[in-house]
Amino acid sequence: MQSIDEKEKNLIRIIKGYDKIALAFSGGVDSSFLLYFAGEIIGRENILAITVNMSMHTSREKRESIELAKDFKHIFIDAEEYSLRAFVENSKDRCYHCKKDIFNKIKSEAKKRGFLIVCDGTNRDDLDDYRPGLIALRELDIKSPLKEAGLGKDEIRELSKKHGIPTWNKPSKACLASRIPYGTEITPEAIKTVENCEEYLINLGYPDSRVRHHGSIARIEIPVKDIESIIKYRKEIDSFFKSQGFLYTTLDLAGYNMGSLNKEIDLK
């Protein structure tokens, strides 16, 4: 088992192997760490941050990505995700088709600007969940330096703090499509409803919350430690969620569970 210092050296070696890179940049913990860290190694002028403009990322995330990448070359491209049938139908391999389409667009835009190497922020821990999008990344030869260096999420946070990167303690956020059960059509209205409800919970003081959209039912997931405290807001939350179109608001007593909707998939 390698130490975090050895993994950091691995990452430096990997990044030094590139003259310049385009980075799929969401503004999250992983891509922000990679952006700043690579900038110190190969120079910020040799990095192009590409953020995908899509409804799966919240308005808050888009604003934060602009601020985080203000000292880098940073562009936005449109995903046009609702034109992708496989995405809208929301089958269990949705992520594969969505990643394939988006990273083809990223590679094309990067190439136009002279960036032939495209990287993303996939880390070692991503291998422990059901993530068909990783197959698309391999097919398109997208580089994942954090995963290659053997770094997991907690180690990335630790190194981010060590290097003064402001996202070291930022709550993790996943694509909003992950709030919609597989087989349920994804619509702009459903995604916006989820975004509004999660933003409401964030403003209440629960940044690690998830709102799973089960038709007329909203299922809130928050860390177990926060379950007792959120009960005092039950009337306010129920009222707001009803204003967003939900008939019923529930609280999952098991707490927040990353990728909980993947339980519905038979992976055997």
Side-chain angles (χ1 to χ4, degrees), residues 170-237:
K170 184 177 183 178
S172 296
K173 289 294 180 184
C175 164
L176 289 177
S178 66
R179 316 301 198 267
I180 314 294
Y182 294 112
T184 300
E185 182 177 303
I186 297 175
T187 66
E189 294 77 19
I191 292 298
K192 188 61 180 176
T193 296
V194 168
E195 178 181 353
N196 291 344
C197 289
E198 290 192 357
E199 183 69 16
Y200 182 81
L201 295 178
I202 289 171
N203 290 333
L204 275 182
Y206 299 94
D208 292 317
S209 59
R210 297 288 187 273
V211 176
R212 310 294 184 185
H213 194 307
H214 298 273
S216 62
I217 301 172
R219 177 167 59 87
I220 299 172
E221 293 182 10
I222 60 172
V224 171
K225 65 180 177 61
D226 294 327
I227 287 178
E228 287 190 19
S229 69
I230 201 173
I231 296 299
K232 64 177 177 286
Y233 298 113
R234 64 182 183 82
K235 290 183 179 179
E236 295 93 330
I237 294 171

Side-chain angles (χ1 to χ4, degrees), residues 84-263:
L84 188 62
R85 185 177 180 83
F87 170 80
V88 174
E89 290 180 345
N90 195 19
S91 64
K92 67 179 183 180
D93 59 352
R94 175 203 72 232
C95 189
Y96 167 81
H97 296 287
C98 190
K99 288 276 190 185
K100 190 83 176 266
D101 187 68
I102 286 173
F103 274 89
N104 265 319
K105 288 182 171 70
I106 290 174
K107 285 189 70 172
S108 176
E109 190 62 37
K111 186 176 180 180
K112 289 178 188 176
R113 297 168 182 264
F115 290 81
L116 303 183
I117 301 295
V118 175
C119 297
D120 86 320
T122 299
N123 68 69
R124 184 202 62 212
D125 292 343
D126 292 324
L127 302 177
D128 297 331
D129 193 14
Y130 174 68
R131 295 181 183 268
L134 297 180
I135 298 172
L137 298 182
R138 288 198 300 270
E139 291 176 352
L140 294 172
D141 194 28
I142 304 302
K143 309 300 183 184
S144 301
L146 303 179
K147 181 187 70 175
E148 189 178 343
L151 287 164
K153 177 72 77 174
D154 289 344
E155 292 167 322
I156 291 166
R157 289 187 184 278
E158 184 177 336
L159 288 174
S160 294
K161 186 176 183 180
K162 170 185 171 182
H163 290 280
I165 298 171
T167 50
W168 70 270
N169 63 345
K170 184 177 183 178
S172 296
K173 289 294 180 184
C175 164
L176 289 177
S178 66
R179 316 301 198 267
I180 314 294
Y182 294 112
T184 300
E185 182 177 303
I186 297 175
T187 66
E189 294 77 19
I191 292 298
K192 188 61 180 176
T193 296
V194 168
E195 178 181 353
N196 291 344
C197 289
E198 290 192 357
E199 183 69 16
Y200 182 81
L201 295 178
I202 289 171
N203 290 333
L204 275 182
Y206 299 94
D208 292 317
S209 59
R210 297 288 187 273
V211 176
R212 310 294 184 185
H213 194 307
H214 298 273
S216 62
I217 301 172
R219 177 167 59 87
I220 299 172
E221 293 182 10
I222 60 172
V224 171
K225 65 180 177 61
D226 294 327
I227 287 178
E228 287 190 19
S229 69
I230 201 173
I231 296 299
K232 64 177 177 286
Y233 298 113
R234 64 182 183 82
K235 290 183 179 179
E236 295 93 330
I237 294 171
D238 183 61
S239 177
F240 181 80
F241 278 39
K242 278 186 168 65
S243 77
Q244 298 300 303
F246 288 115
L247 293 179
Y248 310 101
T249 301
T250 67
L251 178 62
D252 194 323
L253 298 182
Y256 168 57
N257 183 8
M258 182 180 69
S260 66
L261 291 178
N262 291 336
K263 294 177 181 178

